[in-house]
PDB file of all heavy atoms in Angstrom:
ATOM      1  N   PHE A 243      69.248 -25.395  77.091  1.00 87.00           N
ATOM      2  CA  PHE A 243      68.280 -24.723  77.949  1.00 87.00           C
ATOM      3  C   PHE A 243      67.481 -25.812  78.649  1.00 87.00           C
ATOM      4  O   PHE A 243      66.996 -26.753  78.015  1.00 87.00           O
ATOM      5  CB  PHE A 243      67.351 -23.837  77.123  1.00 87.00           C
ATOM      6  CG  PHE A 243      68.025 -22.616  76.580  1.00 87.00           C
ATOM      7  CD1 PHE A 243      68.356 -22.526  75.243  1.00 87.00           C
ATOM      8  CD2 PHE A 243      68.348 -21.561  77.413  1.00 87.00           C
ATOM      9  CE1 PHE A 243      68.988 -21.396  74.742  1.00 87.00           C
ATOM     10  CE2 PHE A 243      68.990 -20.428  76.921  1.00 87.00           C
ATOM     11  CZ  PHE A 243      69.307 -20.351  75.592  1.00 87.00           C
ATOM     12  N   TYR A 244      67.361 -25.680  79.965  1.00 87.00           N
ATOM     13  CA  TYR A 244      66.741 -26.737  80.753  1.00 87.00           C
ATOM     14  C   TYR A 244      65.566 -26.175  81.538  1.00 87.00           C
ATOM     15  O   TYR A 244      65.668 -25.133  82.178  1.00 87.00           O
ATOM     16  CB  TYR A 244      67.780 -27.326  81.695  1.00 87.00           C
ATOM     17  CG  TYR A 244      67.240 -28.357  82.651  1.00 87.00           C
ATOM     18  CD1 TYR A 244      66.815 -29.601  82.187  1.00 87.00           C
ATOM     19  CD2 TYR A 244      67.170 -28.100  84.013  1.00 87.00           C
ATOM     20  CE1 TYR A 244      66.319 -30.548  83.056  1.00 87.00           C
ATOM     21  CE2 TYR A 244      66.676 -29.046  84.890  1.00 87.00           C
ATOM     22  CZ  TYR A 244      66.251 -30.271  84.408  1.00 87.00           C
ATOM     23  OH  TYR A 244      65.761 -31.209  85.269  1.00 87.00           O
ATOM     24  N   CYS A 245      64.444 -26.869  81.482  1.00 86.00           N
ATOM     25  CA  CYS A 245      63.271 -26.453  82.240  1.00 86.00           C
ATOM     26  C   CYS A 245      63.182 -27.305  83.500  1.00 86.00           C
ATOM     27  O   CYS A 245      63.075 -28.530  83.401  1.00 86.00           O
ATOM     28  CB  CYS A 245      62.011 -26.608  81.396  1.00 86.00           C
ATOM     29  SG  CYS A 245      60.522 -26.266  82.327  1.00 86.00           S
ATOM     30  N   PRO A 246      63.252 -26.680  84.683  1.00 84.00           N
ATOM     31  CA  PRO A 246      63.296 -27.464  85.923  1.00 84.00           C
ATOM     32  C   PRO A 246      61.974 -28.155  86.260  1.00 84.00           C
ATOM     33  O   PRO A 246      61.947 -29.039  87.109  1.00 84.00           O
ATOM     34  CB  PRO A 246      63.666 -26.420  86.975  1.00 84.00           C
ATOM     35  CG  PRO A 246      63.187 -25.139  86.405  1.00 84.00           C
ATOM     36  CD  PRO A 246      63.315 -25.253  84.922  1.00 84.00           C
ATOM     37  N   CYS A 247      60.893 -27.751  85.627  1.00 84.00           N
ATOM     38  CA  CYS A 247      59.599 -28.312  86.011  1.00 84.00           C
ATOM     39  C   CYS A 247      59.451 -29.770  85.580  1.00 84.00           C
ATOM     40  O   CYS A 247      59.198 -30.648  86.389  1.00 84.00           O
ATOM     41  CB  CYS A 247      58.481 -27.472  85.433  1.00 84.00           C
ATOM     42  SG  CYS A 247      58.298 -25.895  86.266  1.00 84.00           S
ATOM     43  N   HIS A 248      59.602 -30.019  84.287  1.00 85.00           N
ATOM     44  CA  HIS A 248      59.393 -31.381  83.812  1.00 85.00           C
ATOM     45  C   HIS A 248      60.541 -31.869  82.953  1.00 85.00           C
ATOM     46  O   HIS A 248      60.377 -32.745  82.112  1.00 85.00           O
ATOM     47  CB  HIS A 248      58.077 -31.474  83.041  1.00 85.00           C
ATOM     48  CG  HIS A 248      56.906 -31.008  83.856  1.00 85.00           C
ATOM     49  ND1 HIS A 248      56.352 -29.772  83.700  1.00 85.00           N
ATOM     50  CD2 HIS A 248      56.222 -31.609  84.843  1.00 85.00           C
ATOM     51  CE1 HIS A 248      55.367 -29.626  84.562  1.00 85.00           C
ATOM     52  NE2 HIS A 248      55.260 -30.720  85.271  1.00 85.00           N
ATOM     53  N   GLY A 249      61.701 -31.231  83.105  1.00 83.00           N
ATOM     54  CA  GLY A 249      62.879 -31.713  82.396  1.00 83.00           C
ATOM     55  C   GLY A 249      62.888 -31.434  80.914  1.00 83.00           C
ATOM     56  O   GLY A 249      63.523 -32.163  80.161  1.00 83.00           O
ATOM     57  N   GLY A 250      62.224 -30.412  80.472  1.00 84.00           N
ATOM     58  CA  GLY A 250      62.254 -30.045  79.059  1.00 84.00           C
ATOM     59  C   GLY A 250      63.634 -29.549  78.668  1.00 84.00           C
ATOM     60  O   GLY A 250      64.303 -28.873  79.441  1.00 84.00           O
ATOM     61  N   LEU A 251      64.076 -29.916  77.466  1.00 87.00           N
ATOM     62  CA  LEU A 251      65.408 -29.504  77.007  1.00 87.00           C
ATOM     63  C   LEU A 251      65.290 -28.811  75.657  1.00 87.00           C
ATOM     64  O   LEU A 251      64.478 -29.198  74.817  1.00 87.00           O
ATOM     65  CB  LEU A 251      66.317 -30.723  76.848  1.00 87.00           C
ATOM     66  CG  LEU A 251      67.040 -31.253  78.075  1.00 87.00           C
ATOM     67  CD1 LEU A 251      67.789 -32.508  77.713  1.00 87.00           C
ATOM     68  CD2 LEU A 251      67.971 -30.216  78.653  1.00 87.00           C
ATOM     69  N   TYR A 252      66.124 -27.786  75.480  1.00 88.00           N
ATOM     70  CA  TYR A 252      66.207 -27.094  74.192  1.00 88.00           C
ATOM     71  C   TYR A 252      67.687 -26.924  73.874  1.00 88.00           C
ATOM     72  O   TYR A 252      68.492 -26.687  74.768  1.00 88.00           O
ATOM     73  CB  TYR A 252      65.578 -25.705  74.261  1.00 88.00           C
ATOM     74  CG  TYR A 252      64.123 -25.689  74.695  1.00 88.00           C
ATOM     75  CD1 TYR A 252      63.791 -25.658  76.039  1.00 88.00           C
ATOM     76  CD2 TYR A 252      63.106 -25.686  73.761  1.00 88.00           C
ATOM     77  CE1 TYR A 252      62.458 -25.633  76.442  1.00 88.00           C
ATOM     78  CE2 TYR A 252      61.783 -25.656  74.155  1.00 88.00           C
ATOM     79  CZ  TYR A 252      61.463 -25.630  75.493  1.00 88.00           C
ATOM     80  OH  TYR A 252      60.162 -25.598  75.887  1.00 88.00           O
ATOM     81  N   THR A 253      68.028 -27.056  72.588  1.00 87.00           N
ATOM     82  CA  THR A 253      69.406 -26.793  72.206  1.00 87.00           C
ATOM     83  C   THR A 253      69.657 -25.293  72.243  1.00 87.00           C
ATOM     84  O   THR A 253      68.746 -24.511  72.476  1.00 87.00           O
ATOM     85  CB  THR A 253      69.696 -27.328  70.791  1.00 87.00           C
ATOM     86  OG1 THR A 253      68.727 -26.783  69.914  1.00 87.00           O
ATOM     87  CG2 THR A 253      69.635 -28.834  70.766  1.00 87.00           C
ATOM     88  N   LYS A 254      70.909 -24.892  71.949  1.00 85.00           N
ATOM     89  CA  LYS A 254      71.278 -23.485  72.090  1.00 85.00           C
ATOM     90  C   LYS A 254      70.433 -22.569  71.194  1.00 85.00           C
ATOM     91  O   LYS A 254      70.133 -21.435  71.558  1.00 85.00           O
ATOM     92  CB  LYS A 254      72.756 -23.316  71.762  1.00 85.00           C
ATOM     93  CG  LYS A 254      73.303 -21.953  72.137  1.00 85.00           C
ATOM     94  CD  LYS A 254      74.787 -21.864  71.870  1.00 85.00           C
ATOM     95  CE  LYS A 254      75.278 -20.447  72.106  1.00 85.00           C
ATOM     96  NZ  LYS A 254      76.703 -20.290  71.811  1.00 85.00           N
ATOM     97  N   ASP A 255      70.053 -23.069  70.012  1.00 85.00           N
ATOM     98  CA  ASP A 255      69.257 -22.214  69.132  1.00 85.00           C
ATOM     99  C   ASP A 255      67.765 -22.261  69.459  1.00 85.00           C
ATOM    100  O   ASP A 255      66.951 -21.700  68.738  1.00 85.00           O
ATOM    101  CB  ASP A 255      69.501 -22.576  67.660  1.00 85.00           C
ATOM    102  CG  ASP A 255      69.051 -23.993  67.331  1.00 85.00           C
ATOM    103  OD1 ASP A 255      68.661 -24.712  68.269  1.00 85.00           O
ATOM    104  OD2 ASP A 255      69.094 -24.371  66.155  1.00 85.00           O
ATOM    105  N   GLY A 256      67.412 -22.931  70.559  1.00 84.00           N
ATOM    106  CA  GLY A 256      66.030 -22.913  71.018  1.00 84.00           C
ATOM    107  C   GLY A 256      65.172 -24.057  70.518  1.00 84.00           C
ATOM    108  O   GLY A 256      63.985 -24.111  70.811  1.00 84.00           O
ATOM    109  N   THR A 257      65.766 -24.986  69.766  1.00 85.00           N
ATOM    110  CA  THR A 257      64.985 -26.119  69.268  1.00 85.00           C
ATOM    111  C   THR A 257      64.744 -27.110  70.400  1.00 85.00           C
ATOM    112  O   THR A 257      65.646 -27.421  71.161  1.00 85.00           O
ATOM    113  CB  THR A 257      65.745 -26.835  68.141  1.00 85.00           C
ATOM    114  OG1 THR A 257      66.314 -25.848  67.283  1.00 85.00           O
ATOM    115  CG2 THR A 257      64.835 -27.751  67.368  1.00 85.00           C
ATOM    116  N   ASN A 258      63.513 -27.598  70.479  1.00 86.00           N
ATOM    117  CA  ASN A 258      63.199 -28.553  71.542  1.00 86.00           C
ATOM    118  C   ASN A 258      63.823 -29.910  71.236  1.00 86.00           C
ATOM    119  O   ASN A 258      63.854 -30.348  70.082  1.00 86.00           O
ATOM    120  CB  ASN A 258      61.686 -28.689  71.706  1.00 86.00           C
ATOM    121  CG  ASN A 258      60.990 -28.988  70.404  1.00 86.00           C
ATOM    122  OD1 ASN A 258      61.262 -28.342  69.390  1.00 86.00           O
ATOM    123  ND2 ASN A 258      60.107 -29.965  70.407  1.00 86.00           N
TER     124      ASN A 258
END
Side-chain angles (χ1 to χ4, degrees):
Chain A
F243 289 106
Y244 175 69
C245 174
C247 287
H248 304 101
L251 276 176
Y252 302 86
T253 54
K254 191 177 174 182
D255 63 354
T257 317
N258 52 313

